[in-house]
Amino acid sequence: MNGARGLTAAGSTMAVFGLVGLLLAGCSSSSTPRTNPKPPVPTFSATPRPPPTVAVGTTPPTACTGVAAAADIDKIVGHPLGGSANQVVGVPLTSIGRTARLDCYYGIPAGQGVTAAVLTIGVATYGDPQSAQARVTSTVNDARSANSQVSTLKVNGSPATLMISQQNQALAMSVGTRTVLVTANTGVLPKGEDTAQLSALAKLGLTAHA
């Protein structure tokens, strides 16, 4: 009996050791360090920001004070134009679809009329975009017929046409139902900067409103 108990106890002891061995083996296998791949590094695509757009005036300007003061023009041009400023308010013209027109004259020599101005910004509105674009096309064709150098550019994302003659530099464009024509006598705008300055002046005509 004692021998049987001894065998039983010995068997139990061996079973315990076997179980402990299995547990240790399980622990050793589960504790093996796993190599985790490095998390992917996020990438960001550098999408260029579009240039800010110029909000076109919703109503046509009725006075040149809504377009630019003489001091604003001098700042863009880079020097005082001298003389005086004046305006001519046009009338609607149904034959070409025009609903309003305003011509602003800057740098008018003393004792002379508006046609002697050294710089002009003309703003007009039309009944539809097609009529507005037709007027710009007509202006460009006239300049080309007079042997002006004609080239295209964009003013704040919108197409425009640059016209250069011996007498002046001009920029014409239409956005929606509005047209803008800027004209500067030769020598008024510094050479090499005239395109940028004409574009800046045209933006004044685009944003002007009543």
Side-chain angles (χ1 to χ4, degrees), residues 22-189:
L22 289 174
L23 291 174
L24 289 174
C27 290
S28 62
S29 62
S30 63
S31 63
T32 302
R34 296 181 181 180
T35 56
N36 293 326
K38 292 182 179 180
V41 178
T43 57
F44 302 94
S45 59
T47 304
R49 293 183 180 180
T53 56
V54 173
V56 179
T58 54
T59 55
T62 56
C64 289
T65 52
V67 177
D72 299 325
I73 302 298
D74 291 346
K75 186 175 181 180
I76 293 175
V77 172
H79 61 86
L81 293 181
S84 60
N86 209 332
Q87 67 180 39
V88 173
V89 180
V91 295
L93 196 57
T94 56
S95 60
I96 58 174
R98 190 176 73 202
T99 57
R101 177 175 174 173
L102 176 67
D103 292 322
C104 303
Y105 300 89
Y106 302 93
I108 306 171
Q112 299 191 42
V114 293
T115 56
V118 299
L119 192 147
T120 306
I121 301 177
V123 181
T125 54
Y126 293 82
D128 53 74
Q130 294 76 19
S131 298
Q133 181 56 49
R135 296 312 303 167
V136 171
T137 301
S138 177
T139 299
V140 172
N141 288 341
D142 289 343
R144 188 178 282 113
S145 299
N147 298 321
S148 294
Q149 296 179 6
V150 176
S151 59
T152 58
L153 68 156
K154 285 193 174 181
V155 175
N156 213 77
S158 298
T161 303
L162 181 67
M163 299 160 285
I164 300 177
S165 69
Q166 291 184 345
Q167 293 76 33
N168 55 51
Q169 296 87 38
L171 186 148
M173 64 184 302
S174 71
V175 177
T177 60
R178 176 171 295 205
T179 65
V180 177
L181 175 63
V182 180
T183 306
N185 288 359
T186 299
V188 171
L189 304 179

